[in-house]
Amino acid sequence: MESFKNSAPAVSPVVKRKKHRNFPMVPRVVFGTGSFDQLGEILMPKRINSEAPVIFLVDDVFEGAPLSTRIPAIFNDQIIFISSEEEPKTEQVDALVQKIKLDFDALPSGIVGIGGGTLLDLAKAVAIMLTNKGSASDYQGWDLVQKPAIYHVGIPTISGTGAEVSRTTVLLGPERKLGINSDFTPFDQVVLDPDLTQGVPKEQWFYTGMDCFIHCIESLNGTFLNAFSESYGEKALDLCKQVYLSDIEESDSRDKLMMASWHGGMSIAYSQVGVAHAMSYGLSYVLGVRHGIGNCLVFQYLEEFYPDGVAVFKEIIQKHQIVLPKGICSQLTDAQFEVMIKVALSLEPLWENAIGTDWKTAITAEKLKNIYQKI
Amino acid sequence: MESFKNSAPAVSPVVKRKKHRNFPMVPRVVFGTGSFDQLGEILMPKRINSEAPVIFLVDDVFEGAPLSTRIPAIFNDQIIFISSEEEPKTEQVDALVQKIKLDFDALPSGIVGIGGGTLLDLAKAVAIMLTNKGSASDYQGWDLVQKPAIYHVGIPTISGTGAEVSRTTVLLGPERKLGINSDFTPFDQVVLDPDLTQGVPKEQWFYTGMDCFIHCIESLNGTFLNAFSESYGEKALDLCKQVYLSDIEESDSRDKLMMASWHGGMSIAYSQVGVAHAMSYGLSYVLGVRHGIGNCLVFQYLEEFYPDGVAVFKEIIQKHQIVLPKGICSQLTDAQFEVMIKVALSLEPLWENAIGTDWKTAITAEKLKNIYQKI
């Protein structure tokens, strides 16, 4: 159901130290069990006319499932089921945009993403590319988007990525894996219905939640941190611990993990992720390892950087009897290691956040290779 | 500098139990020391033309103070200094709107409120009334505002009320003290610069911070609570405790209290305040007691409802050697008590949140009188 590759707000914009970011927040949010059924009412005033459809991009695990019958499609709305087996690609975004433009004379009234990070990122990107010329790959980077996106709504069905609240949409492009980071990226509306996360398989629940846990640890231990990001990060971390280490009721746990994801996404506003995400990107680029798993594979060996966080992580692993894959890097050639390390080291803001401005003296290719070799 | 009367999001909308509120959030926020100096740049793209001014409503404690020279007024912008000694009134809003309409041919490009809850509430109300006909008093209530407000910016200079993030603006009208609760009320932009709260007198710092502390206690102990409001309320409460009970550095304390106010305001989204606010409203209505002080005067006697909260409150009082006024109600006539109790009991959503749907069996006029008599 969920692509673990790149749903986290992994590459946030470089924080300029002298100027504070004017952070765009999701302007509307509804929270609560059953709130999904308010979607029709929410969309109604956003419908431009009966010719301008709402396009629902939905994870294909819901094809034929009860949730799909609750999607409030009317007029000439379109429901497009999409697999999240692979990470979202710029060419996939381009194809979706082309299809929508061919199918309809009018621009859509709105784009609704229903699913995990992959579907949410696709919805954000399609909404942007319906009003901006060229290919999605032209906009990978920071603040390259010129025109406001189409009205877009995010409805997470798994918790942890923070994609529902972030200002990026991470895409695999022809030349790079990088987010479209812009003020037009965040959703105009988010529907947080914890019931939608019922039925998420245990491993996905674990890896996606750990995405949140790990980016909180990285944010809270980063040099970019300020009181805004800290307060969100601490709350998200606290909720993660409640969900993964205490024995709380299932519905309570779903509620809390959904809020952890929300606050975790907010915690990146003025902060940044760190070592685990940088190295996980290398792993993902060379081996196609999914984002959530990649983070965990790296994070377990980062005691040096995040001793407390790694200790808690191991406690969680043990409590839930998760067996992490082993020997992932055992067959790699030197050339592959080199690429992996190069990709990881290219994510400079992440290293600067993790280590400080002089990070290049502390972080060497050999150091990273030593860690990768353990994985 | 700060009116303590009615700056809190005291009377939030009635929560309909079967439908979740689609909550409007402040869509833009900048946080950080010195971020006030980014205001000019933030306003620039919002300027319609050089004839459409930005109106700055500023607490008059800043008249002649260094902050006033940093206000980025250009073209025909107007800076209006306003006393916050008295609580904001609907007629004051009407007069401001009339003045602005007389002074300028064009509608303003924006309204900027700089100050405590009173100034923030005035800015919200003026922004609404520039585009909606009639008197501000016509809109006291829930969802009565028909047209979007003028672009409006909130810049708190004291922390605790949550007015910077709430969807209400509480005004004293000819017939009632009640908020304009609407989706058009929240600010379009908030600037959180903790340095602006330097120089707040200790008592104001205490009473305004306790506004946050008390509405968190009420929210967290209310029957309306859900995981969304809970996570914000818990974090706000945690930050209040750090600020008022641990010995942290001053700048750290300013940062944290600003975030406490922010999260505290958010915690009311799906929740509601409770007994202290309801009774404080009665106190304020009959005796003109300021909101922050009124809350504290009532709260100290609410062990029955909030035992843990009251214990922490007393610890804070002791640590900061605050002496609460005494004998406030000692000279009241029976008729005055009756009015006070009637006002308090009229705030049904607050009682329903605090006690439950059957609150009328538990809360009697006599019970309230007994508490008021102690004050």
Side-chain angles (χ1 to χ4, degrees), chain A residues 42 208 254 309:
Chain A
I42 288 169
T208 311
R254 285 194 297 271

Side-chain angles (χ1 to χ4, degrees), chain B residues 301-346:
Chain B
Y301 298 117
L302 300 185
E303 291 98 339
E304 177 184 347
F305 305 101
Y306 310 112
D308 298 344
V310 173
V312 174
F313 176 73
K314 289 188 172 168
E315 215 181 314
I316 293 170
I317 290 263
Q318 195 165 12
K319 181 173 166 82
H320 296 286
Q321 300 180 309
I322 301 292
V323 181
L324 294 177
K326 278 184 183 168
I328 303 287
C329 295
S330 59
Q331 307 292 322
L332 288 187
T333 64
D334 281 351
Q336 283 177 307
F337 272 121
E338 260 176 48
V339 175
M340 201 178 265
I341 290 161
K342 193 179 160 197
V343 168
L345 289 177
S346 75

Side-chain angles (χ1 to χ4, degrees), chain A residues 33-72:
Chain A
T33 290
S35 58
F36 182 79
D37 294 322
Q38 291 171 223
L39 182 59
E41 192 185 321
I42 288 169
L43 293 174
M44 196 54 80
K46 302 296 177 181
R47 291 180 180 276
I48 298 160
N49 57 50
S50 60
E51 300 305 306
V54 173
I55 311 291
F56 299 88
L57 306 181
V58 186
D59 192 303
D60 69 0
V61 294
F62 294 115
E63 199 166 0
L67 183 70
S68 67
T69 65
R70 291 163 62 198
I71 296 171

Side-chain angles (χ1 to χ4, degrees), chain A residues 53-342:
Chain A
V54 173
I55 311 291
F56 299 88
L57 306 181
V58 186
D59 192 303
D60 69 0
V61 294
F62 294 115
E63 199 166 0
L67 183 70
S68 67
T69 65
R70 291 163 62 198
I71 296 171
I74 56 173
F75 303 136
N76 58 346
D77 289 355
Q78 207 171 54
I79 300 176
I80 304 176
F81 290 102
I82 298 173
S83 165
S84 61
E85 281 302 304
E86 295 194 13
E87 58 188 13
K89 297 174 180 60
T90 55
E91 59 187 28
Q92 191 181 8
V93 173
D94 295 344
L96 281 164
V97 169
Q98 199 180 7
K99 172 183 163 49
I100 293 166
K101 285 188 171 172
L102 281 173
D103 287 356
F104 301 97
D105 293 331
L107 275 180
S109 297
I111 304 294
V112 180
I114 303 175
T118 297
L119 267 292
L120 298 184
D121 277 357
L122 279 175
K124 290 179 186 180
V126 167
I128 288 169
M129 293 313 301
L130 279 165
T131 56
N132 287 274
K133 287 180 184 170
S135 162
S137 61
D138 302 336
Y139 300 92
Q140 288 178 285
W142 287 274
D143 300 310
L144 301 172
V145 179
Q146 296 299 314
K147 294 184 186 166
I150 296 274
Y151 172 79
H152 51 304
V153 180
I155 309 181
T157 61
I158 185 166
S159 297
T161 70
E164 66 277 21
V165 77
S166 77
R167 82 185 276 284
T168 191
T169 158
V170 186
L171 300 171
L172 190 63
E175 288 168 22
R176 60 202 150 208
K177 180 178 167 185
L178 188 60
I180 299 178
N181 296 272
S182 87
D183 287 349
F184 302 120
T185 306
F187 287 111
D188 297 295
Q189 167 82 55
V190 168
V191 177
L192 298 176
D193 184 344
D195 264 14
L196 303 186
T197 67
Q198 274 184 305
V200 171
K202 182 182 170 187
E203 289 223 324
Q204 293 191 331
W205 168 81
F206 170 78
Y207 287 119
T208 311
M210 286 305 100
D211 187 5
C212 179
F213 175 81
I214 292 170
H215 64 243
C216 286
I217 296 289
E218 291 176 305
S219 162
L220 290 169
N221 290 282
T223 60
F224 292 175
L225 193 70
N226 70 9
F228 187 96
S229 284
E230 183 180 50
S231 65
Y232 281 103
E234 284 176 348
K235 190 66 218 175
L237 191 60
D238 165 40
L239 290 165
C240 282
K241 287 180 185 169
Q242 288 182 49
V243 167
Y244 288 99
L245 285 176
S246 67
D247 294 304
I248 55 178
E249 209 199 320
E250 263 187 45
S251 76
D252 196 20
S253 176
R254 285 194 297 271
D255 284 7
K256 285 184 193 301
L257 192 56
M258 193 157 261
M259 288 312 300
S261 179
W262 178 260
H263 292 310
M266 285 300 298
S267 80
I268 312 296
Y270 289 99
S271 180
Q272 184 50 281
V273 286
V275 181
H277 274 76
M279 293 192 66
S280 167
Y281 259 50
L283 215 52
S284 166
Y285 187 86
V286 174
L287 292 171
V289 174
R290 291 174 163 198
H291 181 71
I293 298 178
N295 280 347
C296 290
L297 291 177
V298 174
F299 191 70
Q300 63 182 325
Y301 298 118
L302 299 185
E303 291 99 339
E304 177 185 346
F305 305 100
Y306 310 113
D308 298 345
V310 173
V312 175
F313 176 73
K314 289 188 172 169
E315 213 181 315
I316 294 170
I317 290 264
Q318 196 165 13
K319 181 174 166 80
H320 296 285
Q321 300 179 309
I322 301 293
V323 181
L324 293 177
K326 278 181 184 173
I328 303 290
C329 295
S330 59
Q331 307 292 321
L332 287 188
T333 64
D334 280 351
Q336 283 178 306
F337 271 122
E338 260 175 49
V339 174
M340 200 177 264
I341 290 162
K342 193 179 158 195

Side-chain angles (χ1 to χ4, degrees), chain B residues 48-54 75-77 103-109:
Chain B
I48 297 160
N49 57 50
S50 60
E51 300 305 306
V54 173
F75 303 135
N76 58 346
D77 289 355
D103 287 355
F104 301 97
D105 293 331
L107 274 179
S109 297

Side-chain angles (χ1 to χ4, degrees), chain B residues 225-246:
Chain B
L225 193 68
N226 70 9
F228 187 96
S229 284
E230 183 180 48
S231 65
Y232 281 103
E234 285 177 347
K235 189 67 218 173
L237 191 59
D238 165 41
L239 290 165
C240 282
K241 287 180 186 170
Q242 288 183 50
V243 167
Y244 288 99
L245 285 175
S246 67

Side-chain angles (χ1 to χ4, degrees), chain B residues 40 43-44 47 50 52-54 56 71-79:
Chain B
L43 294 175
M44 196 53 79
R47 291 180 181 276
S50 60
V54 173
F56 298 89
I71 296 171
I74 56 172
F75 303 135
N76 58 346
D77 289 355
Q78 207 169 53
I79 300 177

